[in-house]
């Protein structure tokens, strides 16, 4: 695949060099291990020796991209049905909450990354349309007349019901985009959508071109998350907002156990019965647990602070707050005023940051 | 085990999963708790998962009979006791024991199609090829075993699936719904696999009344009679009998010719 290899070149030539110095997300030792990784990493541009996680498997970074592509190619047609089954329909509420938090006004340029089947984009368009109508009604109520242009357009049925808003759906997977386009036709969304094939680590857009960047349930599938975050920072206009809806760590131990039981026992079975694909759904539930690379950061914490094993295990629930780890990553990419909000006791979290 | 690996089509297998054990109590796959991968396509499952799979597969197979993979999954998840019994049956018989030892597979890569074409009419090989052509099926469409937690039993069920086509040839049944139900009745009596029994009992739900009449009046009694009379069909080393005339093989197994030409029904 061309995309990952050019990413490798890019990393070593320019943008991502600071990543190679290695950093751990711990309160005491930020960016304090440059010697450890520079020595061990080979700068060969062939097959990278670096490994990453693919669910609970360890694969080379080059492989992860193509494996993830295959997973989503397999699940694309039944993606929405499986989402409903896996989350018992709750994912719709999560996505609605994301849009409500975004509160986009007519005229907003949205980039929905990993937006495949278009759930966020469609909700955005409906919201913006409703907002536009409200604004017009408010204008009429306060006896402000519409301009002649608007009245003329109304009679000619040419008015832009979206008020100039545009949702760009970008995804690395062609199959997902195909499903999304078909859904758009089925649901009657004809205007205000653009479909782009692109890689989150290397976006095909100019700097400072979007007002809002969202990525819903997609960032854990990206091989180099920090690069995706940097790209998000680049394409946003100053004042633009970054929003990420992603699975997080559940804090409550009882709910956590039920959630794990449901994830690992039931979801692959549902995947096998409905979609005939056990492995893709096993990857999906595992990738939730492995994101971001908490094992590494936890081990590092234990080693650095010489925490005794027993105590370390007991405190893992409070330490492994993915939400905090990811917040730090977003801040590292240059965003400010980064906050997060837990939904459904932490099963998902919405992270928000601004480019100022 | 090596033969299984050799005869599989070359694919990149992630079967060498490193057992990464973080110090944290992160829920791991069943395999990391000690159950290794016993064969290339093995997916270790907990008893709860097997129950859910069996229920889901049964439901889906009834709802959509074209989901053959669901029938296969149902067989794998419900058949553990019966498979052990079948394996012991195979061990007792000399030909069966040879099959267990050599582990032959019936697939397009292992069959010598030109040789089978050249065999005389009426021989097992020639009739099998004709069956494949007329019904437009291929031995390669069988999904590999995934949910059986014993490597030998996984082979037994794989062999059972591959023998299924041979049974169609022996019984002279086409691959439409009616023919499949008849073969299921035969297999239910022969093997006792829960999946066969369920398929035999619930399969007729999807048939037209016309076919049902023929089924209950003639075909099922015929299938049961032959199933009881014939020795265990898994014990026949089909690969060594391609030249044997079909009628002779039927006589050897005590299978009477089918009662009626049922190509038009179902």
């Amino acid at each position: 695949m061309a995309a990952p290899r050019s990413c490798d070149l890019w990393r070593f030539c320019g943008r991502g060099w600071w990543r190679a110095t290695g950093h751990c997300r711990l309160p005491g030792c930020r960016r304090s291990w440059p010697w450890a990784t520079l020595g061990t990493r080979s700068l060969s541009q062939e097959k990278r020796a670096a490994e990453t996680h693919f669910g609970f498997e360890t694969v080379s970074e080059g492989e992860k991209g193509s494996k993830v592509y295959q997973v989503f190619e397999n699940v694309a047609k039944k993606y929405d049905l499986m989402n409903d089954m896996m989350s018992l329909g709750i994912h719709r509420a999560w996505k609605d909450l994301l849009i409500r938090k975004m509160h986009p006004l007519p005229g907003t340029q949205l980039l929905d990354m990993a937006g495949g089947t278009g759930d966020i984009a469609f909700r955005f368009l409906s919201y913006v349309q409703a907002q536009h109508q409200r604004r017009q009604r408010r204008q009429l109520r306060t006896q402000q007349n519409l301009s002649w242009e608007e009245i003329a357009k109304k009679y000619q049925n040419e008015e832009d019901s979206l008020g100039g808003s545009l949702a760009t759906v970008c995804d690395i997977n062609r199959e997902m985009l195909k499903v999304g386009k078909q859904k758009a036709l089925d649901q009657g969304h004809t205007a205000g959508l653009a479909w782009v094939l692109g890689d989150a680590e290397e976006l095909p857009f100019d700097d400072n071109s979007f007002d809002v960047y969202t990525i819903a349930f997609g960032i854990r599938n990206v091989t180099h998350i920090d690069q995706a975050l940097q790209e998000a920072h680049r394409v946003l206009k100053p004042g633009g907002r970054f929003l990420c809806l992603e699975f997080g760590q559940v804090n409550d131990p009882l709910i956590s156990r039920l959630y794990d039981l449901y994830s690992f026992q039931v979801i692959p079975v549902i995947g096998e019965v409905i979609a005939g694909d056990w492995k893709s759904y096993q990857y999906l539930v595992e990738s939730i647990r492995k994101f971001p690379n908490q094992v590494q950061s936890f081990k590092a914490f234990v080693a650095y602070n010489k925490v005794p094993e027993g105590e370390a295990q007991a405190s893992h629930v409070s330490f492994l707050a993915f939400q905090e780890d990811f917040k730090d990553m977003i801040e590292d990419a240059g965003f400010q005023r980064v906050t997060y909000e837990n939904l459904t006791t932490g099963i998902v979290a919405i992270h928000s940051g601004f480019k100022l | 085990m090596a033969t299984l690996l050799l005869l599989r089509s070359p694919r990149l297998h992630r079967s060498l999963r490193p057992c990464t054990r973080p110090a944290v109590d992160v829920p791991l796959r069943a395999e990391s708790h000690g159950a290794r991968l016993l064969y290339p396509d093995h997916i270790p499952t907990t008893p709860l998962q097997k129950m859910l799979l069996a229920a889901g597969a049964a439901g889906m197979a009834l709802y959509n009979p074209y989901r053959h993979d669901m029938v296969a999954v149902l067989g794998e998840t419900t058949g553990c006791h019966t498979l052990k019994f079948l394996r012991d049956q195979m061990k007792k018989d000399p030909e069966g024991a040879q099959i267990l030892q050599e582990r032959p597979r019936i697939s397009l890569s292992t069959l010598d199609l030109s040789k089978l074409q050249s065999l005389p009419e009426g021989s097992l090989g020639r009739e099998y090829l004709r069956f494949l052509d007329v019904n437009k099926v291929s031995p390669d469409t069988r999904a590999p075993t995934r949910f059986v937690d014993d490597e030998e039993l996984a082979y037994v069920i794989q062999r059972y699936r591959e023998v299924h086509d041979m049974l169609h040839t022996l019984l002279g049944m086409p691959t439409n719904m009616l023919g499949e139900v008849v073969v299921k009745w035969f297999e239910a009596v022969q093997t006792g696999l829960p999946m066969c029994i369920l398929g035999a009992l619930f399969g007729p739900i999807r048939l037209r009344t016309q076919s049902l009449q023929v089924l209950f009046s003639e075909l099922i009694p015929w299938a049961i009679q032959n199933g009881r009379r014939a020795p265990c069909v898994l014990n026949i080393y089909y690969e060594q009998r391609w030249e044997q005339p079909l009628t002779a093989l039927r006589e050897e197994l005590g299978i009477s010719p089918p009662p009626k030409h049922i190509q038009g029904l179902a």
Side-chain angles (χ1 to χ4, degrees):
Chain A
M1 256 179 71
R5 206 155 295 149
S6 58
C7 274
D8 297 345
L9 282 171
W10 203 22
R11 276 166 62 99
F12 283 99
C13 296
R15 298 234 172 175
W17 72 268
W18 63 271
R19 170 87 166 100
T21 60
H23 59 280
C24 52
R25 262 139 245 120
L26 304 167
C29 64
R30 284 194 185 241
R31 296 196 191 90
S32 54
W33 289 357
W35 62 89
T37 39
L38 267 182
T40 51
R41 238 184 238 190
S42 64
L43 294 182
S44 92
Q45 287 154 8
E46 283 287 317
K47 250 218 161 145
R48 303 270 332 273
E51 296 193 317
T52 181
H53 53 84
F54 177 72
F56 288 160
E57 284 177 53
T58 306
V59 301
S60 72
E61 286 184 341
E63 253 191 290
K64 172 162 179 173
S66 53
K67 285 192 111 151
V68 171
Y69 191 94
Q70 261 178 321
V71 165
F72 283 95
E73 205 176 23
N74 293 342
V75 307
K77 293 209 175 75
K78 296 245 163 88
Y79 186 70
D80 294 315
L81 174 64
M82 281 306 302
N83 275 345
D84 276 330
M85 304 248 60
M86 291 196 288
S87 66
L88 307 173
I90 304 176
H91 72 108
R92 297 162 189 249
W94 292 332
K95 289 171 180 161
D96 288 335
L97 270 168
L98 177 71
I99 295 294
R100 215 174 307 160
K101 192 174 168 104
M102 192 198 295
H103 187 46
L105 294 172
T108 306
Q109 309 295 302
L110 170 75
L111 172 61
D112 183 18
M113 193 60 221
T117 51
D119 277 344
I120 302 290
F122 301 152
R123 282 175 168 79
F124 167 82
L125 289 176
S126 309
Y127 193 94
V128 149
Q129 200 168 7
Q131 289 291 315
H132 189 67
Q133 281 171 351
R134 274 170 87 193
R135 187 191 271 173
Q136 283 191 326
R137 251 180 277 139
R138 223 181 302 143
Q139 280 180 333
L140 290 171
R141 237 183 296 139
T142 58
Q143 282 158 1
Q144 281 173 27
N145 288 327
L146 297 178
S147 68
W148 283 111
E149 280 170 357
E150 283 175 2
I151 296 176
K153 277 198 190 143
K154 250 196 168 50
Y155 277 109
Q156 290 165 23
N157 283 336
E158 259 180 35
E159 58 166 340
D160 180 8
S161 62
L162 299 170
S165 329
L166 176 69
T168 305
V169 180
C170 185
D171 201 292
I172 199 171
N173 195 302
R174 216 177 279 271
E175 291 303 316
M176 295 289 277
L177 285 175
K178 267 196 228 170
V179 173
K181 278 191 195 165
Q182 188 57 47
K183 248 174 80 179
L185 288 175
D186 294 339
Q187 292 184 8
H189 293 283
T190 43
L193 279 172
W195 304 88
V196 178
L197 190 69
D199 186 348
E201 298 173 15
E202 217 182 320
L203 290 172
F205 303 111
D206 290 331
D207 296 3
N208 307 327
S209 36
F210 293 102
D211 296 310
V212 186
Y213 175 108
T214 54
I215 185 163
F217 302 120
I219 203 149
R220 69 179 189 282
N221 299 311
V222 173
T223 314
H224 302 112
I225 295 170
D226 49 334
Q227 269 183 264
L229 292 172
Q230 281 173 35
E231 277 296 275
H233 192 264
R234 178 179 71 83
V235 301
L236 275 174
K237 293 181 191 162
R241 191 172 195 183
F242 169 88
L243 281 166
C244 175
L245 178 65
E246 191 53 77
F247 289 106
Q249 288 279 336
V250 180
N251 291 321
D252 188 274
L254 173 65
I255 299 191
S256 173
R257 216 170 312 153
L258 285 173
Y259 176 50
D260 288 342
L261 182 77
Y262 182 72
S263 294
F264 285 92
Q265 303 297 314
V266 180
I267 286 179
V269 173
I270 298 180
E272 177 64 34
V273 171
I274 295 193
D277 195 346
W278 176 287
K279 302 229 156 145
S280 297
Y281 291 94
Q282 186 151 44
Y283 161 73
L284 287 177
V285 298
E286 287 176 357
S287 67
I288 295 171
R289 296 301 180 291
K290 277 293 244 184
F291 167 63
N293 201 342
Q294 295 156 341
V295 173
Q296 214 171 23
S297 54
F298 178 79
K299 272 192 182 154
F301 175 80
V302 166
Y304 184 83
N305 293 321
K306 298 184 183 44
V307 177
E309 278 275 354
E311 202 187 292
Q313 287 195 20
S315 66
H316 82 275
V317 170
S318 52
F319 173 77
L320 283 183
F322 142 77
Q323 284 83 326
E324 283 292 330
D325 275 357
F326 191 48
K327 174 174 177 247
D328 293 340
M329 282 177 94
I330 300 176
E331 280 171 352
D332 287 344
F335 289 101
Q336 293 174 29
R337 288 268 189 267
V338 181
T339 57
Y340 63 85
E341 188 188 328
N342 280 342
L343 303 176
T344 327
T345 69
I347 295 181
V348 298
I350 300 181
H351 282 77
S352 156
F354 290 91
K355 173 177 178 177
L356 297 171
Chain B
M1 181 66 178
T3 5
L4 260 180
L5 282 169
L6 277 172
L7 290 172
R8 288 256 174 242
S9 48
R11 259 185 309 173
L12 273 173
H13 283 302
R14 303 296 314 169
S15 43
L16 303 163
R17 284 173 177 80
C19 208
T20 44
R21 287 258 198 161
V24 179
D25 191 24
V26 178
L28 304 171
R29 284 188 208 171
E31 67 192 32
S32 302
H33 278 301
R36 308 157 296 115
L37 286 188
L38 301 166
Y39 46 90
D41 290 292
H42 187 204
I43 297 178
T45 40
T46 60
L48 173 64
Q49 282 176 320
K50 288 204 173 64
M51 276 196 294
L52 292 171
L53 259 182
M60 185 53 104
L62 269 181
Y63 176 71
N64 182 358
Y66 290 101
R67 289 289 302 269
H68 298 297
D69 59 321
M70 285 293 105
V71 179
V73 166
L74 181 61
E76 287 171 26
T77 46
T78 52
C80 44
H81 291 295
T82 325
L83 283 176
K84 284 194 189 130
F85 173 72
L86 281 175
R87 192 252 316 260
D88 296 337
Q89 286 267 4
M90 284 176 83
K91 279 205 171 128
K92 283 188 221 155
D93 180 82
E95 214 172 333
Q98 194 187 10
I99 296 176
L100 271 181
Q101 192 94 9
E102 293 175 16
R103 305 246 179 124
R105 298 288 307 274
I106 305 178
S107 72
L108 283 178
S109 51
T110 54
L111 291 177
D112 188 354
L113 288 174
S114 49
K115 181 174 151 248
L116 290 179
Q117 281 273 32
S118 64
L119 288 173
E121 283 290 319
S123 63
L124 178 63
R126 197 74 189 76
E127 293 303 311
Y128 176 62
L129 263 189
R130 179 172 296 135
F131 162 78
L132 289 180
D133 285 329
V134 166
N135 291 282
K136 297 189 189 47
V137 291
S138 148
D140 283 346
T141 51
R142 303 255 164 244
T145 318
R146 281 173 299 160
F147 301 110
V148 178
D149 291 330
D150 178 308
E151 188 242 334
E152 198 169 26
L153 297 181
Y155 175 72
V156 172
I157 201 168
Q158 190 75 43
R159 180 77 184 162
Y160 151 76
R161 279 191 209 143
E162 287 169 3
V163 160
H164 180 82
D165 285 341
M166 311 293 320
L167 286 181
H168 271 284
T169 318
L170 275 175
L171 296 173
M173 290 288 131
T175 51
N176 51 28
M177 194 70 196
L178 185 59
E180 292 287 351
V181 171
V182 176
V183 178
K184 274 281 169 290
W185 273 94
F186 181 85
E187 287 174 344
V189 175
Q190 272 271 306
T191 60
L193 280 169
M195 175 260 284
C196 299
I197 297 176
L198 285 173
L201 291 174
F202 289 101
I205 288 178
R206 292 228 151 217
L207 291 173
R208 300 200 301 250
T209 33
Q210 201 187 3
S211 326
L212 278 175
Q213 273 176 346
V214 179
L215 185 69
F216 283 115
S217 59
E218 294 180 30
L219 293 172
I220 288 184
W222 171 77
I224 296 180
Q225 202 183 24
N226 284 303
R228 284 182 141 159
R229 208 166 36 203
C232 181
V233 284
L234 286 176
N235 284 335
I236 317 279
Y237 205 143
Y238 296 99
E239 289 87 338
Q240 288 175 347
R241 291 170 181 250
W242 291 130
E243 296 93 8
Q244 186 176 12
L246 190 55
T247 39
L249 185 55
R250 279 187 180 151
E251 242 182 76
E252 190 185 327
L253 296 176
I255 296 178
S256 54
K260 200 185 223 188
H261 186 67
I262 59 167
Q263 203 77 15
L265 293 173

